[in-house]
Amino acid sequence: MNKAAMEEIERVLEENVRPELARHGGDIQVEGLENDVLRVRLLGRCSGCPSAELTMESLVEEKLRAAIPALKGVVLVTGVSDALLEQARQLLQERHSS
């Protein structure tokens, strides 16, 4: 998939997925695309929701695969993000430097 595919993914998320997640205090972030498999992370209240897997299947993957047939699948990424880990490292370094 190319840049146009990523733009289409973002369009589908913005129009069809994010509004639905926002109703529940959540959002979604694209973590990457490899071998036509999209990796996403649920944010906000949706990140720790017991229904996260169901949300992935019934909302996110369904909407994306309907709009982008070349997409082979959508995988939910869990755990602490790399960005959050980097923030924590910087805070610890600043604390050590003081």
Side-chain angles (χ1 to χ4, degrees):
M1 291 194 165
N2 55 27
K3 183 179 177 182
M6 285 302 295
E7 289 173 357
E8 179 66 5
I9 287 168
E10 282 298 333
R11 184 194 65 75
V12 171
L13 291 176
E14 195 61 36
E15 293 176 7
N16 301 309
V17 176
R18 285 191 174 102
E20 204 56 42
L21 295 176
R23 285 192 216 166
H24 301 277
D27 198 1
I28 191 166
Q29 174 181 313
V30 172
E31 293 286 315
L33 178 65
E34 235 178 272
N35 300 320
D36 298 334
V37 175
L38 184 68
R39 295 177 336 144
V40 297
R41 180 182 303 276
L42 293 176
L43 305 172
R45 285 186 172 168
C46 294
S47 67
C49 177
S51 299
E53 287 294 329
L54 181 58
T55 298
M56 282 298 300
E57 292 171 12
S58 67
L59 174 65
V60 180
E61 189 164 12
E62 182 180 300
K63 298 287 185 187
L64 285 167
R65 293 191 73 193
I68 308 162
L71 193 63
K72 292 179 183 173
V74 181
V75 176
L76 180 62
V77 176
T78 59
V80 178
S81 71
D82 291 339
L84 190 57
L85 283 173
E86 183 57 33
Q87 250 182 341
R89 283 185 193 103
Q90 288 176 357
L91 287 171
L92 288 170
Q93 285 176 351
E94 288 171 10
R95 197 174 213 186
H96 255 314
S97 299
S98 310

